[in-house]
């Protein structure tokens, strides 16, 4: 779920000017595209959560607060040895502490450095309430999800335009009796095929991921796999088969290909994952640790990984957040400018970023 | 505000304790709205500043009052009344009027979503406007709310008075609390009944509040209709005896 983007805080002198993430409404396109990805589909009945879809529209800018967990991750990414297998970083923490936005920050950082980004904004959407489920043509046991696959291909195309013509596929793929993509054609054609023939979209996604994984070792590009809500891949689904029994996630082709992608049997990039209890199915509300959310299967699949805890705001971060809101005139209540008001906000939100945002929305 | 005595005997009007409303009481009826507290109970003081004043700064009166509070009986503060700096009695009253079936949580969340919606709409307008217009656009949802309700308050109202077997609508000046009540009531009724079934309350309310803030919209029209009716029935004004 997209939380309010908060202001940039120059954290000591470790930041170089490349890290300033202050984007206007026109640029950066990629960040805006990713921010839009994370918005759930416009639904007139989605009134339970107030429309916090567009900080760009409200503030005329998109800002992120630079915080310690993200900085730690960026430092690790800078020091990666691309000859070793891909390291998996898992962002975990309480609800509303900023895991998704730290992930966004990392994605932005890598995009600025021209990595190839494979970003899944919310893996929970793939295991819930899918309208068109088809039997996969490739494997009889699995199911396709054309709508989700097509959406993902669209955002992948916008995010990685340049690479689509550079990367050439290494095998011939037969879509059906009449259509096929030859070996040596650019990856863009596979993506186009998936977008035009929506029935083949899931297979197109599988092919794209497979090709990227095999070719990342060559060194032509650096690959970043960023998945939010990764506990969905090993949880339970609410999708039903024809005989009304619930499916396991392995039976979904998209989940199957993504699971292969987050294994550490490739090198030339990194894998950054964020856990999320908010959209997950059949998990207790208080669960936030990797062991609780991923379950035994998921934990063993992801083991070994680097866990990164994302916690509530420190006093300086809280102060900085309030200052940002005051500068943008988002806090309009006259008492919010006073010391009393700030103390009350701190008490009510307990320095939790998500809660503070919801409080300041109506003040 | 002194609460009237608990139980009023049947057939005894409450003229002695001060009429609550201007509607005449017929004999044989009792006051409907009464409190379980007897008159010596005082209202609770939730203002933090009152308690933070150091002893030296207090005047004789205030010292006397503080001494008195130690021994006097005080009513329990209602759950919705807090010592928060962000509390607003008008907003609390509006939330109570919107509440259905005692679901205060829902009513409060609808109110906060409405304020947020008003704020967002104004921010969008602000960013789309030129520099001169930006100075005129009001972005504080609380000022918009208060001003909109003030704009919706009628100045004069109509009251049914029985004369010669018929009820006549007589124009009458309204007390302040009746005016505030009518403004809020019209606003809520308008949003509940006259809009499309599938639109959500925050959306409808924020739209109506913004229109009322600019002195347009159906609630303002209702106020004007009330004024016109009162003007039309001017001849009956002498039926009023208070």
């Amino acid at each position: 779920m997209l939380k309010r983007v908060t202001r940039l805080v120059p954290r000591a002198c470790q930041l170089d000017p490349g890290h300033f993430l202050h984007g206007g409404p026109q640029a950066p396109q990629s960040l805006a595209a990713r921010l839009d990805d994370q918005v759930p589909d416009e639904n007139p009945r989605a009134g339970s959560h107030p429309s916090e879809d567009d900080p760009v529209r409200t503030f005329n800018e998109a800002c992120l607060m630079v915080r310690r967990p993200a900085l730690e991750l960026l430092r690790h990414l800078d020091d990666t040895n691309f000859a070793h297998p891909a390291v998996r970083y898992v962002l975990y923490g309480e609800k509303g502490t900023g895991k998704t936005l730290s992930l966004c920050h990392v994605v932005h950082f890598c995009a600025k450095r021209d990595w190839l980004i494979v970003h899944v904004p919310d893996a929970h959407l793939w295991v819930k309430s899918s309208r068109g489920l088809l039997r996969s043509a490739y494997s009889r046991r699995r199911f396709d999800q054309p709508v989700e696959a097509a959406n993902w291909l669209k955002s992948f195309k916008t995010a990685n335009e340049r690479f689509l013509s550079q990367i050439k596929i290494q095998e011939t793929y037969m879509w059906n009796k009449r259509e096929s993509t030859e070996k040596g054609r650019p990856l863009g054609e596979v993506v186009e095929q998936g977008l035009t023939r929506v029935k083949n979209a899931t297979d197109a996604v599988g092919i794209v991921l497979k090709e990227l994984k095999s070719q990342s070792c060559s060194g032509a590009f650096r690959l970043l796999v960023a998945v939010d809500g990764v506990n969905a891949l090993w949880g339970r689904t609410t999708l039903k088969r024809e005989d009304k029994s619930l499916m396991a996630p392995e039976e979904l082709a998209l989940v199957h290909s993504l699971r292969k992608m987050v294994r550490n049997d490739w090198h030339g990039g990194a894998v950054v994952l964020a856990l999320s209890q908010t959209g997950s199915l059949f998990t207790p509300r208080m669960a936030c640790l990797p062991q609780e959310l991923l379950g035994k299967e998921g934990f063993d699949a992801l083991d070994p990984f680097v866990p990164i805890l994302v916690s509530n705001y420190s006093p300086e971060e809280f102060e900085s957040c309030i200052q940002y809101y005051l500068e943008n005139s988002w806090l309009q209540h006259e008492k919010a400018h006073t010391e009393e008001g700030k103390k009350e906000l701190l008490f009510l939100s307990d320095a939790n970023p998500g809660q503070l945002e919801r409080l300041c929305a109506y003040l | 505000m002194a609460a009237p005595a608990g139980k009023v005997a049947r057939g005894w009007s409450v003229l002695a304790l001060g009429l609550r409303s201007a509607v005449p009481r017929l004999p044989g009826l009792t006051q409907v709205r009464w409190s379980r507290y007897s008159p010596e109970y005082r209202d609770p003081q939730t203002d933090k500043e009152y308690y933070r004043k150091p002893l030296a700064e207090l005047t004789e009166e205030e010292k006397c009052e503080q001494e008195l509070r130690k021994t006097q009986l005080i009513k329990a503060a209602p759950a919705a009344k807090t010592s928060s700096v962000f509390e607003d009695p008008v907003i609390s009253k509006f939330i109570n009027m919107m509440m259905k079936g005692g679901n205060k949580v829902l009513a409060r969340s609808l109110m906060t979503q409405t304020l947020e919606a008003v704020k967002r709409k104004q921010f969008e307008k602000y960013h789309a406007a030129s520099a001169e217009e930006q100075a005129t656009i009001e972005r504080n949802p609380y000022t918009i709310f208060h001003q909109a309700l003030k704009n919706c308050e009628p100045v004069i109202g109509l009251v049914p008075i029985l004369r010669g077997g018929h009820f006549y609508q007589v124009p009458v000046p309204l007390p302040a609390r009746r005016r505030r009540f009518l403004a809020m009531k019209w606003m809520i009724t308008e949003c509940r009944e006259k809009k499309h079934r599938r639109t959500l309350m925050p959306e409808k309310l924020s739209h109506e509040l913004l229109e009322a803030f600019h002195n347009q919209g159906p609630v303002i029209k209702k106020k004007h209709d009330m004024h016109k009716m009162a003007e039309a029935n001017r001849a009956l004004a002498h039926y009023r005896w208070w």
Side-chain angles (χ1 to χ4, degrees):
Chain A
M1 229 188 324
L2 182 63
K3 321 263 182 325
R4 164 82 56 243
V5 283
T6 49
R7 188 225 196 182
L8 177 74
V9 156
R11 302 273 302 164
C13 29
Q14 293 132 347
L15 273 188
D16 53 35
H19 290 208
F20 266 66
L21 302 170
H22 190 98
Q26 282 79 31
Q29 279 291 53
S30 45
L31 180 61
R34 269 184 289 280
L35 284 174
D36 286 333
D37 283 348
Q38 298 181 11
V39 170
D41 286 331
E42 282 302 337
N43 179 7
R45 292 298 294 182
S48 56
H49 190 76
S51 55
E52 49 169 43
D53 3 305
D54 224 341
V56 180
R57 216 170 55 193
T58 325
F59 285 157
N60 252 8
E61 64 179 10
C63 277
L64 269 186
M65 188 191 280
V66 178
R67 294 179 68 199
R68 197 182 294 277
L71 271 184
E72 201 184 306
L73 243 184
L74 299 182
R75 219 171 296 137
H76 287 308
L77 282 178
D78 264 335
D79 301 332
T80 34
N81 184 342
F82 293 103
H84 290 174
V87 184
R88 288 170 295 197
Y89 304 95
V90 172
L91 292 160
Y92 71 102
E94 297 277 339
K95 177 174 159 177
T97 44
K99 304 179 281 287
T100 305
L101 277 185
S102 301
L103 192 77
C104 275
H105 187 171
V106 170
V107 167
H108 182 272
F109 174 85
C110 295
K112 272 267 160 101
R113 277 161 174 59
D114 281 336
W115 288 37
L116 204 162
I117 314 277
V118 168
H119 178 52
V120 177
D122 195 0
H124 291 297
L125 296 174
W126 288 2
V127 300
K128 291 199 266 199
S129 66
S130 179
R131 281 294 184 82
L133 266 183
L134 308 167
R135 278 263 172 207
S136 171
Y138 183 70
S139 152
R140 290 304 301 167
R141 279 178 305 137
R142 292 201 275 265
F143 289 87
D144 271 358
Q145 285 157 295
V147 180
E148 279 88 13
N151 287 342
W152 186 82
L153 281 173
K154 227 182 304 183
S155 49
F156 178 75
K157 189 170 149 187
T158 349
N160 301 301
E161 287 275 11
R162 319 183 291 106
F163 291 103
L164 292 180
S165 39
Q166 286 171 15
I167 302 177
K168 311 278 185 246
I169 54 180
Q170 286 166 348
E171 267 182 48
T172 315
Y173 297 103
M174 295 282 296
W175 301 107
N176 50 36
K177 270 183 275 200
R178 264 157 285 186
E179 290 175 18
S180 70
T181 319
E182 306 301 320
K183 176 171 157 175
R185 304 296 299 160
L187 198 61
E189 284 200 11
V190 175
V191 177
E192 281 308 321
Q193 177 72 25
L195 283 173
T196 40
R197 295 253 179 278
V198 185
K199 276 183 126 170
N200 296 336
T202 321
D203 293 327
V205 171
I207 291 170
V208 161
L209 292 182
K210 191 172 103 175
E211 288 293 326
L212 289 176
K213 198 162 140 176
S214 52
Q215 296 192 22
S216 66
C217 314
S218 64
F221 55 86
R222 311 256 177 84
L223 180 60
L224 175 77
V225 178
V227 183
D228 195 3
V230 72
N231 42 319
L233 300 182
W234 287 279
R236 288 158 66 181
T237 68
T238 45
L239 302 173
K240 298 207 174 85
R241 295 187 207 107
E242 290 100 9
D243 53 355
K244 307 282 174 90
S245 53
L246 283 180
M247 257 189 250
E250 311 54 76
E251 296 180 33
L252 291 167
L254 279 178
V255 171
H256 183 82
S257 2
L258 203 56
R259 276 195 195 179
K260 283 196 281 193
M261 200 67 191
V262 300
R263 285 214 319 246
N264 57 352
D265 48 2
W266 53 279
H267 59 267
V271 178
V272 181
L273 310 166
L275 299 176
S276 163
Q277 193 283 327
T278 325
S280 68
L281 297 160
F282 305 107
T283 47
R285 201 158 52 92
M286 292 288 132
C288 57
L289 297 174
Q291 179 70 42
E292 295 164 352
L293 282 175
L294 290 169
K296 184 169 185 319
E297 209 193 314
F299 197 89
D300 290 335
L302 284 185
D303 206 16
F305 59 84
V306 177
I308 300 178
L309 172 65
V310 184
S311 52
N312 287 337
Y313 280 152
S314 66
E316 303 86 33
E317 289 175 334
F318 180 82
E319 194 51 50
S320 158
C321 187
I322 297 278
Q323 283 307 315
Y324 175 70
Y325 286 148
L326 288 174
E327 275 168 21
N328 275 41
S329 333
W330 184 240
L331 279 177
Q332 285 280 325
H333 201 282
E334 52 286 345
K335 289 286 165 69
H337 301 261
T338 60
E339 276 310 308
E340 275 290 328
K342 282 187 205 156
K343 271 197 279 187
E344 194 165 318
L345 283 173
L346 179 61
F347 174 74
L348 287 172
S349 64
D350 191 26
N352 181 292
Q355 192 61 39
L356 180 65
E357 187 213 330
R358 259 168 279 160
L359 277 176
C360 296
Y362 60 84
L363 278 178
Chain B
M1 172 168 80
K7 277 241 190 77
V8 177
R10 257 189 85 70
W12 186 19
S13 77
V14 288
L15 276 169
L17 296 160
L19 266 179
R20 280 294 195 94
S21 69
V23 178
R25 291 268 166 247
L26 299 179
L29 292 179
T30 49
Q31 184 88 329
V32 175
R33 230 167 273 119
W34 51 276
S35 159
R36 290 290 291 184
Y37 288 115
S38 47
E40 64 262 15
Y41 275 81
R42 313 184 95 225
D43 285 316
Q45 173 70 267
T46 51
D47 183 20
K48 277 194 272 206
E49 296 307 314
Y50 179 85
Y51 294 109
R52 277 191 197 148
K53 267 199 206 157
L55 216 53
E57 279 182 31
L58 296 177
T59 62
E60 280 309 312
E61 239 176 52
E62 284 176 331
K63 275 195 200 142
C64 202
E65 206 179 307
Q66 286 215 339
E67 283 297 316
L68 219 55
R69 286 191 95 83
K70 286 183 198 167
T71 47
Q72 280 208 326
L73 298 162
I74 302 184
K75 293 184 206 173
K81 195 146 158 49
T82 56
S83 56
S84 158
V85 293
F86 301 119
E87 189 179 320
D88 191 344
V90 183
I91 300 243
S92 307
K93 187 61 86 179
F94 197 82
I95 290 174
N96 284 343
M97 287 184 67
M98 266 211 301
M99 174 165 63
K100 271 190 184 178
N103 197 344
K104 178 90 108 185
V105 173
L106 181 62
R108 213 180 119 101
S109 71
L110 288 175
M111 189 76 226
T112 54
Q113 285 170 37
T114 308
L115 292 169
E116 190 185 333
V118 164
K119 208 203 262 192
R120 271 178 206 273
K121 286 186 188 168
Q122 292 298 93
F123 262 79
E124 271 189 55
K125 255 189 255 179
Y126 183 85
H127 288 305
S130 61
E132 310 87 43
E133 285 167 45
Q134 279 182 351
T136 55
I137 293 182
E138 173 65 55
R139 288 185 287 175
N140 190 339
Y142 293 86
T143 37
I144 291 181
F145 180 79
H146 288 127
Q147 188 57 45
L149 284 185
K150 225 180 293 199
N151 290 350
C152 291
E153 283 177 15
V155 166
I156 192 168
L158 292 170
V159 146
I161 291 190
L162 182 63
R163 272 295 182 103
H166 296 278
F167 278 99
Y168 295 99
Q169 295 288 333
V170 174
V172 130
L174 298 169
R177 58 172 183 271
R178 178 80 185 152
R179 282 189 275 151
R180 286 192 290 264
F181 172 79
L182 279 176
M184 291 197 234
K185 187 79 181 170
W186 289 341
M187 182 66 80
I188 296 176
T189 328
E190 169 68 36
C191 288
R192 277 186 187 160
E193 287 165 21
K194 299 283 173 53
K195 300 286 178 198
H196 183 62
R197 186 179 57 91
R198 301 240 336 162
T199 39
L200 297 167
M201 189 66 170
E203 221 177 286
K204 297 187 273 206
L205 242 192
S206 54
H207 184 251
E208 287 308 318
L209 283 172
L210 283 171
E211 286 204 310
F213 178 70
H214 294 295
N215 269 315
Q216 294 159 354
V219 195
I220 300 285
K221 183 169 171 304
K222 191 148 179 183
K223 173 184 89 156
H224 289 325
D225 286 344
M226 171 81 120
H227 288 173
K228 279 187 212 149
M229 285 268 286
E231 187 61 31
N233 285 12
R234 216 169 35 175
L236 305 170
H238 64 277
Y239 282 172
R240 179 173 67 99
W241 64 85
W242 60 89

